[in-house]
Structure formats: C-alpha cells, structure tokens
Amino acid sequence: MSDFTNYNEKKEENKTIHTERKSSKKPVLDAQSKTVANLNARLANPLRGVPRDRLLGDVEIFAQERGLTHILPELKKGALLAQDPQSFTRDNNGFTEDEKRILDEEVSHRWKQTGTLYYMVVMSSMAAAVQGMDEAVINGAQILYPRQFGIGDPTSQRDSWLIGLVNSAPYLCCATISCWLTDPLNQRLGRKKTIFVTCLISFLTCIWSALTNTWWHLFIARFFLGFGIGPKSATVPVYAAECAPAPIRGALVMMWQMWTAFGIFLGDLIDLCFYFIPDRPNVTGLNWRLMLGSAGIPGLIVCFQVLFAPESPRWLISKGRYEDAYKQLCRLRFSSVQAARDLYYIHVLLEAESEMRKGRNSIVEMFTIPRNRHAALAAWIVMFGQQFCGVNVIAYYSSNVFVQSGFTQVAALASSLGWGALNWLFALPAVFTIDTFGRRNLLLFTFPCMAICLLITGFSFWSPDLKGRLAGVSIGIYLFAIFYSPGEGPVPFTYSAEAFPLYIRDLGMSFATATTWFWNFVLAITFPSLLLAFKPQGAFGWYAAWCCILWVLILLFVRETKGKTLEELDQVFAVPLKTHATYGLRQIPYGIKKFLLFQHPAETASEESSSSDEKAKDEVKEDVDKV
C-alpha cells in the first residue's frame, strides 16, 4: 500500500514540475554569475572536449618542457585518465592488466591506499588533536591560575574580564593576524614546513605559558599561541585534500573536525590527571602549569613526524618542481600511471587557474558578484554559528559551570571529560550523515535541539535540590554535545570549503576561518562577565536565543550543497537572496505538517526548488557548451 501511495505522490510531483516548467519563465543569470559559472565549468575539468590527438600532442610538449620525457608513456595514459576516468577499460589505450586492477580498485576499494598516504592521515589527525588540546587545557587550568595571579574574585567584573582576556588571547591573534598569514606562509614554505612551524610554535608557547607568573605574561604567551593555531587550522585540511585521491578526499577533510574533537577530549583528560599534582618547593600551581605545558607535547611529536611525510604535490607543481611532485605522487599512489595522471591534471588545472586570475581582483569579486557574495554570506553564517551556538562556552568554561552548579573541582573536571568524550564520539557519525542528510538539513534539525539543551542547562540552576540541579546541568550539557557534534561541528569547514568557486576558494577559506576565530575570541572573552552579570540562567538563555536566530538565518540564507557538482553549485548560489528566503519560509508550514503533525502535505516548496534547479542547470550547461 505504501509503495502504491509513494508511486502516486511521485506521479503528482512530476506532473506539477512539468506544469511549472511549461508555465514559468526560464530564470536568467546575471552576466557576472554566468562568467563565474563558466570559470568553474572550465576549472572542473580543463581537459573536457579536447580531441585525443591534440591531448597527446600537448602531453609530449609538456614532457619536453618539464624534463619528464622519461615517463612520457605514463603521462600519455595519465592524461587519458584525467580526461576520462573510464578510459582504462578500453583496449586501445595500452593499459596493463595490473594497472586496470589498481584503477578499478581505486573506486571499488577506496580505502585501500598506500602506507605513505595513511602516514599522512595519521600526521594530519595528530595535528588536529594538537589544535583541540591547545583549546581545551585552559578549561581546567582556569579554575586554578586566577587566584594565584590575584584575579580570582568571583564577584569582580574586572577579574572576570581579565580571565576572559587571558583565555581568549589565542583567538584574538587568529582573527587579527595569524589567519591572514596562512597564504603567505604556504606560498613561501609549503604545506609541510607551515605545519612544522605552527606545531613548533604551539609547543614553545605552551611551555612558555606554563612558566608565567602574572596574568599579563600568560596573556602574551597565549596570544603568541595563536600563531600556531590559526594557520594550522587552514593548512592541514588543505594539505590532506591535496594529497588524498578523489574518492576519499571529502572524508579526509572531515577528519580535521573529528580529531580536533578528540584533542579536546584529550585536553580534558589531562586536566583531570594533573589536577592532583601537588606543588613543589619554589613552584606554585604546578598542576595548572603541567596542564598548559603538556598541550605542547603532541605538537612536538608532529614536528618530528612531518619530516617524513610527503610534500603537497600541488604546491611543488606550483613552484615548477615537477620531478619532485612526481616522486611524491609515486609515494602516495600504488602505480606510476596514477601518479602521472594526477601530475598532469594538477598541471593543467593550475594553468587554467592562473589564466583566469589575470586582471581579476579576487577580494572585490568575492563581495561584488552575487554568486560569490551569497556563498560568502552563507559561509559567514555557519562559521559565526559554530561559535555563537555556545559550544566553546562549554569547551572553555564547563569546569567553572559545573563548579557553580555544586560539583567539587575534581567532579567538575571529570564531568568536563565526559563532555569531551561525547563531543568526539558523536563526531564519528558525521562522516556518513553529512552526505546523507545534507549540510543544511543537519543544521536545521540540530539548532532547535541545541537551544533546548542550553535552556535545560541554564534553568536547572533554579532548582533548589542539589541533585536535581547537578542532573539537569549534566544532562543539558551532554545532550548539547550529542546534537552539536554531527551538525554544527563538522558542517562549517566542509561547507565553506565547497561553497566558494575554485578561483577564490583559498581567499574564501581565509575569510571563513578568520570569521570563526574572531567570534571565538568574542565568546571566550565575554562569557565570564556574562556569567557574572546574568547568572548561568541568563548566560545559557542568551546562547539558546542565538541558536533560534541562527536557525532562521540558515533557513533563509544558507543553501544546500550536498551532492552537487561545481556547475550546480554556481546555480544554487546565483539564485537571488529574496527568492531563496521565500523558498525557506515556505518550508516552515511544510515542515510542521510533515514532521510535527505527521501529515503528507503537497511538496510545493520542494517542487519549485527542483524545477528552478533543473531549468537553471540547463541554462548553465548551455553557457558552458558555448565556452
């Protein structure tokens, strides 16, 4: 019966779409958005439509110019693969049986990769864990160091601001300076050396923080820690994406958020372990000093580990080091044909990008061209939301919150550890759900749930019963972690990495990471004073209200990017804001009827969106064909 009902619903849906297509006018892209669409189409595969003879002739010229004639046969087969991934199945292209098996397994057994690639994955995961530990160890330390530095009066607004200033110092550096150094550092040093330098800075500044004796000295040390946090947060995901083969690239980029969450859990564990360390002669506050200092050890491990990892082939090619890039690709792939394919494809892609950047001001075009501006707005909303959903209030101050609710300091640290564990464990399903449910749908589902969890946490402080208050606060914070980790945790970085067109993607990611670190700073510096002024009830209610506001902003201005090609994304972001906002508003009654009242409403909003997408996709395709 349900199958028959679904069939009738689908039939009616197709009839409605067909009627709309006949009666509606074809949407017209503005000239600037058409230009961006054409650029993206060319960048999506610069080899599309190139005749075979011309392609092989270009490869011979390329090999002679770059001194790669000794691998010319591999380059020719690689170019055919880059143009058409299924070309190895045709007998006239000269692929051996072993090469055919490896190329087939590239898709059918996508996690079967070389040891060097997995070494790179481990190194990148460790670098992400360094990031999480740098952020988390202050959670336990900040219930100890303020009294030693004379800023521990819980009723003083001055002390609250100073604690917030010290805790937020790295993120002030990230937002104002270090994130904007990402591109020059990568251009000058490359991915490997940038990771080495930033992890070394993390190690040295963590040790420096452990040796401070005044609040302003600790502020300076933690400010310089920001030079290790900001560029690393943008470089490591890019490095992983540039080394990984296409079938698992998205999953490896997702690893950044998952292992950052693991680093937060590890930082909370270290806080609990070192809390019991007593002072030594002439050493006051040894426990919090060990907390801050220990966060640098994984950074030092990464410094040694990265020396043996491959350099990004894309960066080497951008510097004209083609032979070195080929050697690194041979380390990362099973066969020389795969390495030659990736080498030639990266080369033609960089050539196309270089040609398209001539005479263009990327900063201006990111905000003046509607397609780019809409992507920047959506990326800003999800990055802002990653902070103002209130997650780092818990990551940085959960120990304080648990103490205020009635926990002992040890119990508060143990409870924070539980939050860190949930934050990591529930990040694991995001690897699958983000491409199943979609980015926008995950956010729309989880933000109201996070708002309810924050209200439970805050309102529990009104309970006169100690056990009830402790239970309410713990349940609220733990449920918040469960809803945050598969939604607003992994979505922002993934969304920002794919929303911008290719020719401004690096600049767009710098803008996005600077956004999240700036609001991270604002959140970290203001929460102690917010907690003092409005009590926990008002403080958590404030961020619950922001979760509701962000739900509306996502509904109106954030477009879905799941499973769409570059050409389709151009059309998605070219739709005017008013049109998309109207579509979002029409989803509200539909969602209420379907998910709350369990009815089967006519899918008007979905039909109109699908119809517009299809017509617009046809228009973009026509423009691309002309190019």
Side-chain angles (χ1 to χ4, degrees):
M1 182 67 180
S2 60
D3 289 340
F4 180 76
T5 304
N6 291 337
Y7 170 78
N8 284 334
E9 289 179 358
K10 190 67 178 176
K11 185 177 179 181
E12 289 300 317
E13 176 184 335
N14 291 336
K15 184 187 298 182
T16 305
I17 292 175
H18 181 67
T19 302
E20 285 183 354
R21 283 182 180 173
K22 289 200 301 183
S23 61
S24 301
K25 292 183 179 180
K26 188 176 182 179
V28 179
L29 291 176
D30 61 272
Q32 290 176 315
S33 294
K34 282 185 178 181
T35 301
V36 173
N38 295 339
L39 292 177
N40 253 5
R42 289 174 62 188
L43 290 173
N45 191 343
L47 299 175
R48 175 165 38 191
V50 178
R52 177 189 174 98
D53 292 341
R54 178 184 159 192
L55 176 65
L56 297 179
D58 289 343
V59 170
E60 291 181 2
I61 296 172
F62 164 73
Q64 292 171 1
E65 291 179 343
R66 306 299 175 179
L68 298 172
T69 53
H70 59 289
I71 59 167
L72 183 57
E74 287 82 1
L75 284 172
K76 288 184 175 181
K77 288 189 285 188
L80 292 172
L81 281 172
Q83 186 183 53
D84 177 13
Q86 295 301 313
S87 61
F88 73 93
T89 60
R90 302 184 188 95
D91 294 333
N92 64 332
N93 288 330
F95 290 92
T96 66
E97 291 301 319
D98 192 49
E99 288 170 344
K100 290 180 180 180
R101 176 185 58 79
I102 291 173
L103 291 168
D104 182 64
E105 288 180 348
E106 195 174 40
V107 177
S108 61
H109 298 79
R110 61 176 186 159
W111 290 105
K112 183 179 179 181
Q113 300 294 337
T114 63
T116 301
L117 181 70
Y118 279 114
Y119 181 87
M120 182 276 299
V121 172
V122 172
M123 189 275 293
S124 299
S125 300
M126 181 71 74
V130 172
Q131 193 89 346
M133 289 184 67
D134 287 342
E135 296 180 48
V137 289
I138 197 66
N139 191 2
Q142 54 96 27
I143 67 173
L144 300 169
Y145 77 78
R147 289 195 177 276
Q148 182 177 335
F149 291 166
I151 56 173
D153 184 355
T155 63
S156 169
Q157 277 285 358
R158 170 187 173 274
D159 289 359
S160 296
W161 276 106
L162 291 179
I163 292 171
L165 183 65
V166 171
N167 293 351
S168 65
Y171 320 120
L172 174 63
C173 177
C174 289
T176 57
I177 304 175
S178 68
C179 275
W180 303 104
L181 296 177
T182 301
D183 187 58
L185 279 173
N186 278 272
Q187 289 295 328
R188 181 76 175 174
L189 302 177
R191 313 300 190 213
K192 271 179 60 173
K193 291 180 181 177
T194 298
I195 295 171
F196 177 87
V197 169
T198 53
C199 286
L200 183 62
I201 291 173
S202 292
F203 168 71
L204 294 175
T205 51
C206 285
I207 301 301
W208 181 7
S209 299
L211 300 176
T212 56
N213 282 304
T214 61
W215 69 263
W216 56 264
H217 192 187
L218 181 58
F219 167 79
I220 295 172
R222 285 182 56 76
F223 183 87
F224 277 88
L225 174 61
F227 287 100
I229 291 178
K232 182 163 76 265
S233 66
T235 300
V236 174
V238 170
Y239 172 73
E242 290 178 347
C243 290
I248 61 171
R249 186 171 295 134
L252 292 190
V253 174
M254 279 283 300
M255 294 290 180
W256 170 258
Q257 179 63 32
M258 186 174 72
W259 291 104
T260 298
F262 175 76
I264 293 174
F265 161 70
L266 201 58
D268 290 336
L269 177 62
I270 286 172
D271 286 346
L272 180 60
C273 292
F274 284 142
Y275 177 83
F276 300 98
I277 302 295
D279 292 346
R280 295 288 188 270
N282 301 320
V283 181
T284 306
L286 183 59
N287 49 3
W288 68 261
R289 295 180 187 278
L290 288 173
M291 292 176 189
L292 297 182
S294 63
I297 302 302
L300 186 62
I301 295 173
V302 174
C303 286
F304 288 111
Q305 193 180 6
V306 76
L307 297 175
F308 305 100
E311 179 54 275
S312 162
R314 182 184 172 92
W315 182 82
L316 291 170
I317 293 173
S318 70
K319 299 303 178 183
R321 298 166 56 181
Y322 284 82
E323 185 67 38
D324 291 336
Y326 178 69
K327 290 177 180 177
Q328 298 300 318
L329 283 166
C330 286
R331 294 179 61 195
L332 290 163
R333 305 291 185 260
F334 281 116
S335 73
S336 58
V337 169
Q338 290 173 303
R341 173 200 60 192
D342 294 348
L343 180 77
Y344 187 69
Y345 187 71
I346 294 171
H347 162 74
V348 295
L349 191 59
L350 285 172
E351 290 287 310
E353 289 177 6
S354 176
E355 181 65 27
M356 290 173 185
R357 285 196 177 103
K358 289 180 180 179
R360 311 183 74 91
N361 189 319
S362 299
I363 297 177
V364 172
E365 291 196 358
M366 188 165 75
F367 298 105
T368 57
I369 295 178
R371 181 262 181 266
N372 298 348
R373 185 170 63 246
H374 298 160
L377 174 62
W380 187 92
I381 289 172
V382 296
M383 284 297 197
F384 169 79
Q386 191 176 56
Q387 303 307 320
F388 262 62
C389 69
V391 63
N392 283 327
V393 163
I394 300 172
Y396 303 155
Y397 296 104
S398 62
S399 297
N400 258 358
V401 172
F402 282 125
V403 167
Q404 288 195 28
S405 68
F407 282 97
T408 64
Q409 288 187 344
V410 175
L413 291 173
S415 299
S416 295
L417 176 64
W419 180 84
L422 288 172
N423 185 41
W424 174 50
L425 291 174
F426 279 87
L428 297 174
V431 176
F432 309 100
T433 58
I434 196 167
D435 284 320
T436 304
F437 297 105
R439 289 78 160 128
R440 185 171 179 267
N441 289 335
L442 278 173
L443 298 180
L444 290 175
F445 171 72
T446 55
F447 263 99
C449 298
M450 289 191 291
I452 293 171
C453 295
L454 290 173
L455 292 175
I456 292 173
T457 303
F459 292 172
S460 294
F461 280 87
W462 273 316
S463 174
D465 179 63
L466 177 61
K467 290 184 178 179
R469 183 164 66 250
L470 297 180
V473 170
S474 301
I475 290 172
I477 287 178
Y478 289 164
L479 286 177
F480 180 90
I482 290 172
F483 287 113
Y484 168 83
S485 294
E488 186 61 5
V491 166
F493 275 88
T494 303
Y495 190 93
S496 300
E498 62 194 3
F500 293 98
L502 288 173
Y503 81 105
I504 62 165
R505 184 160 292 174
D506 289 342
L507 178 65
M509 279 302 292
S510 294
F511 165 76
T513 53
T515 296
T516 197
W517 289 121
F518 172 77
W519 293 109
N520 192 323
F521 160 72
V522 171
L523 180 144
I525 194 175
T526 58
F527 188 71
S529 297
L530 192 69
L531 202 60
L532 181 62
F534 297 133
K535 307 303 179 189
Q537 298 92 325
F540 282 99
W542 165 257
Y543 287 108
W546 270 110
C547 284
C548 297
I549 294 171
L550 285 161
W551 184 85
V552 175
L553 293 176
I554 291 163
L555 181 74
L556 299 181
F557 304 120
V558 174
R559 296 113 192 276
E560 183 57 74
T561 60
K562 179 196 76 169
K564 296 189 181 296
T565 65
L566 288 172
E567 293 94 331
E568 291 170 330
L569 284 175
D570 287 327
Q571 179 53 43
V572 166
F573 285 105
V575 173
L577 282 178
K578 182 179 178 181
T579 303
H580 188 271
T582 303
Y583 161 66
L585 290 174
R586 284 200 299 269
Q587 286 185 299
I588 296 177
Y590 168 76
I592 292 173
K593 291 176 182 178
K594 182 171 184 177
F595 298 108
L596 295 182
L597 302 180
F598 301 104
Q599 298 177 0
H600 298 285
E603 301 190 12
T604 305
S606 298
E607 291 168 1
E608 292 180 7
S609 175
S610 176
S611 176
S612 298
D613 282 351
E614 286 297 323
K615 289 184 288 185
K617 183 178 175 183
D618 292 340
E619 181 184 348
V620 172
K621 187 175 181 182
E622 290 175 9
D623 293 331
V624 170
D625 290 340
K626 292 177 184 177
V627 175

